[in-house]
Amino acid sequence: MLKGFKPLAVAAFCLLGLSAFAQDAAAGQWVDSGRSAYFRQSAYISAFDYTCNAGQAPISGFPGSCPNDAASGWTANYDVSSAEANSQRMACNHNPYQIGSTCYGIAYAINGHAYAGDLPAACNVGARTVVYFSLMETVAIQYEELDVNMVESATEYVCQ
């Protein structure tokens, strides 16, 4: 009877160790780093800005570069999450002649690899990600004219 107990105890001990590791990996949470980029364009309204760090005022231009880009991986994560979110939006077949027609895409990137959808809740402490949202919608403006709004935004998060 004790012969079968030892392998079972070892297996239980290993599983206990793995569950503790899983809790540590998921113990982090995503916190906004303050690094962001925002772009809005339509026939009548345009806005472009970005920030490098939390607490800094937005900077004109888009998407811009910051001294901390290389260390944070912002550029690689921004580029691939932008491509993924925009490909989702483009696949939607937006109708610029129909009020209310809306298409969007959302993606996040970690270490230069893009993933479709929302950012997962669990993260590894120290990881950085860029979440990118892309929206195109047809709206009515003054005198029942149609306008197509395009909004793109990116926000960097750090797992802490």
Side-chain angles (χ1 to χ4, degrees):
M1 187 168 210
L2 288 176
K3 273 187 170 181
F5 181 75
K6 188 173 181 180
L8 184 60
V10 170
F13 182 76
C14 287
L15 287 174
L16 180 63
L18 288 175
S19 69
F21 174 76
Q23 288 173 353
D24 287 345
Q29 65 180 9
W30 294 110
V31 177
D32 188 337
S33 75
R35 177 79 163 103
S36 65
Y38 175 82
F39 167 77
R40 178 178 180 205
Q41 186 172 21
S42 74
Y44 300 98
I45 301 168
S46 288
F48 309 83
D49 64 47
Y50 67 97
T51 56
C52 290
N53 294 303
Q56 289 186 337
I59 303 165
S60 296
F62 187 78
S65 62
C66 298
N68 62 349
D69 284 356
S72 73
W74 164 267
T75 303
N77 286 336
Y78 177 90
D79 289 346
V80 297
S81 61
S82 168
E84 175 62 33
N86 283 315
S87 69
Q88 292 171 30
R89 179 183 49 83
M90 297 291 282
C92 174
N93 296 320
H94 173 259
N95 183 348
Y97 303 107
Q98 180 182 351
I99 293 174
S101 178
T102 302
C103 290
Y104 70 92
I106 186 166
Y108 65 95
I110 299 173
N111 294 325
H113 298 284
Y115 306 92
D118 291 328
L119 190 59
C123 61
N124 292 321
V125 175
R128 289 182 172 266
T129 185
V130 171
V131 177
Y132 196 96
F133 178 75
S134 178
L135 169 74
M136 185 175 281
E137 65 181 338
T138 303
V139 296
I141 57 173
Q142 193 172 14
Y143 309 115
E144 297 182 22
E145 293 176 302
L146 297 179
D147 191 16
V148 175
N149 282 329
M150 190 168 92
V151 177
E152 298 182 33
S153 67
T155 304
E156 182 183 59
Y157 294 92
V158 179
C159 184
Q160 296 182 349

